[in-house]
Amino acid sequence: MKKKFPSQVTVRVPGSTSNCGAGFDTLGLALTIYNTITLTRGDWRGSRAETDADVAGLNMADDAAQLFFVRSGVEEFGFTLKIEGDVPMSRGLGSSVTLRAGVVAALNEMAGAKLTRDDLCSLVTQLEGHPDNATPAVLGGFCVARCDPHTGELLGVLRKPIGRDLVFVVVSPDQELETKKARGILPKELPYFDAVKSVNSAAYVVAAMLSGEYDRLRDAVCDFLHEPYRLPLIPGAKAAIDAGVTAGALTGWLSGSGSSVLCVARPPRAAKIGRAMAAAFAASKLPASIHLLRADNKGLVLRKGRT
């Protein structure tokens, strides 16, 4: 008897913060803010949007589907796409990854392709061009990823669950910042000792997160790779991080390429830190929303629909 696979699959995918300071294109952390991606199988080729709000994601969904079908060897089929959730676009919280990861995970289930989570991480990394958001979106937790320096292929991921004794205070200003623009402003060369200082900071942040000695994070982020070039694009962003640390945060960083900034806090101080960060944006006449988030340690979660 031929096995039936679901014709509809919904995938909940966590948003994420990447880089975590100086861990450029390497470090990522899944957060308790989510998008849900629903695919429903159809008889046509390519994808269709279920609502007008989903149209913007069609090209991204088609690229993800095309790579999935090539890598899995599954015969192509069509689907409708529906996107819902709270991860804002162009705010440095991995919105594009939630879509790409959701599409390939749903297609994997609908086609019975049996790609593993590691396979999905590799697929999404290829689509994104770097693994920092891709790996935590699929796996959850704090992820350290390694890629081939020549091909960019994902070679491995170390993942660590993060306890509820840390709150990640994310403040998102009312300003979009496209990743393409934020990457384009980065220099082609860096002073040697800027790179050395950044490696030192990134290594220490990783050690603190993996050991669970979170108080070691205090003032640990010191980046010279991307933040000095990106923060000036966002009025009030550096001041917001500084205000959060002054209000009691352990450390803070630019989330991904921005425009959101993030501070790491102990729970009792989180609300106060969020208000201080938002006030810094307000001083630059930029309204901002506050998200008090924990680490998501599950990664993407599938819910099958009708067969």
Side-chain angles (χ1 to χ4, degrees), residues 197-214:
K197 288 181 283 189
S198 295
V199 169
N200 178 260
S201 174
Y204 197 84
V205 167
V206 169
M209 295 294 270
L210 296 186
S211 69
E213 296 183 58
Y214 299 139

Side-chain angles (χ1 to χ4, degrees), residues 66-87:
Q66 184 177 19
L67 183 60
F68 167 80
F69 289 126
V70 168
R71 291 276 291 268
S72 67
V74 172
E75 184 178 353
E76 291 186 40
F77 57 84
F79 56 88
T80 56
L81 169 72
K82 182 179 180 181
I83 308 166
E84 299 175 294
D86 300 317
V87 183

Side-chain angles (χ1 to χ4, degrees), residues 1 50 52-54 78 104 122 165 203 237 241 246 281 301:
M1 183 175 176
E50 186 164 312
D52 290 343
D54 302 333
V104 297
S122 179
D165 44 350
I241 296 172
T246 300
F281 278 117
V301 176

Side-chain angles (χ1 to χ4, degrees), residues 5-306:
F5 298 108
S7 61
Q8 184 180 84
V9 173
T10 296
V11 188
R12 189 188 75 167
V13 189
S16 50
T17 183
S18 62
N19 302 324
C20 304
F24 190 69
D25 281 0
T26 301
L27 305 182
L29 172 71
L31 300 170
T32 52
I33 185 170
Y34 303 95
N35 279 343
T36 57
I37 313 300
T38 299
L39 267 60
T40 304
R41 188 165 182 149
D43 295 330
W44 57 89
R45 288 185 178 272
S47 63
R48 295 180 181 178
E50 186 164 312
T51 69
D52 290 343
D54 302 333
V55 171
L58 281 182
N59 289 340
M60 218 177 282
D62 282 339
D63 290 343
Q66 184 177 19
L67 183 60
F68 167 80
F69 289 126
V70 168
R71 291 276 291 268
S72 67
V74 172
E75 184 178 353
E76 291 186 40
F77 57 84
F79 56 88
T80 56
L81 169 72
K82 182 179 180 181
I83 308 166
E84 299 175 294
D86 300 317
V87 183
M89 294 183 63
S90 301
R91 295 296 197 281
L93 292 172
S95 63
S96 65
V97 180
T98 65
L99 175 57
R100 288 168 167 147
V103 167
V104 297
L107 290 174
N108 188 47
E109 193 69 21
M110 293 164 72
K114 297 182 180 179
L115 298 183
T116 66
R117 292 225 170 192
D118 286 344
D119 294 331
L120 296 180
C121 282
S122 179
L123 267 171
V124 182
T125 294
Q126 185 173 338
L127 290 163
E128 284 282 301
H130 35 85
D132 46 5
N133 287 117
T135 51
V138 175
L139 302 175
F142 175 71
C143 292
V144 185
R146 183 171 74 97
C147 290
D148 186 290
H150 305 292
T151 67
E153 180 184 358
L154 183 66
L155 297 178
V157 184
L158 290 171
R159 172 190 172 277
K160 173 72 173 180
I162 301 298
R164 292 185 60 80
D165 44 350
L166 285 183
V167 176
F168 299 93
V169 184
V170 177
V171 178
S172 301
D174 188 16
Q175 174 183 313
E176 293 187 0
L177 181 58
E178 293 183 3
T179 301
K180 183 177 180 180
K181 178 180 179 181
R183 292 186 83 86
I185 201 170
L186 299 179
K188 296 187 183 303
E189 296 180 351
L190 285 170
Y192 181 85
F193 285 104
D194 280 359
V196 171
K197 288 181 283 189
S198 295
V199 169
N200 178 260
S201 174
Y204 197 84
V205 167
V206 169
M209 295 294 270
L210 296 186
S211 69
E213 296 183 58
Y214 299 139
D215 284 338
R216 301 276 189 175
L217 290 168
R218 192 173 302 280
D219 300 321
V221 168
C222 183
D223 173 64
F224 294 88
L225 300 179
H226 71 110
E227 289 192 357
Y229 308 98
R230 288 172 164 174
L231 283 171
L233 298 175
I234 312 160
K238 185 178 186 306
I241 296 172
D242 293 343
V245 171
T246 300
L250 296 171
T251 193
W253 57 73
L254 177 67
S255 187
S257 58
S259 58
S260 297
V261 293
L262 178 152
C263 277
V264 185
R266 292 296 191 180
R269 297 184 177 181
K272 177 183 176 182
I273 289 166
R275 290 192 296 270
M277 294 169 70
F281 278 117
S284 293
K285 296 182 170 31
L286 200 56
S289 56
I290 303 169
H291 308 276
L292 304 182
L293 307 175
R294 295 307 216 282
D296 173 279
N297 292 314
K298 293 182 179 179
L300 60 82
V301 176
L302 283 79
R303 185 171 72 246
K304 300 177 187 178
R306 55 185 181 271

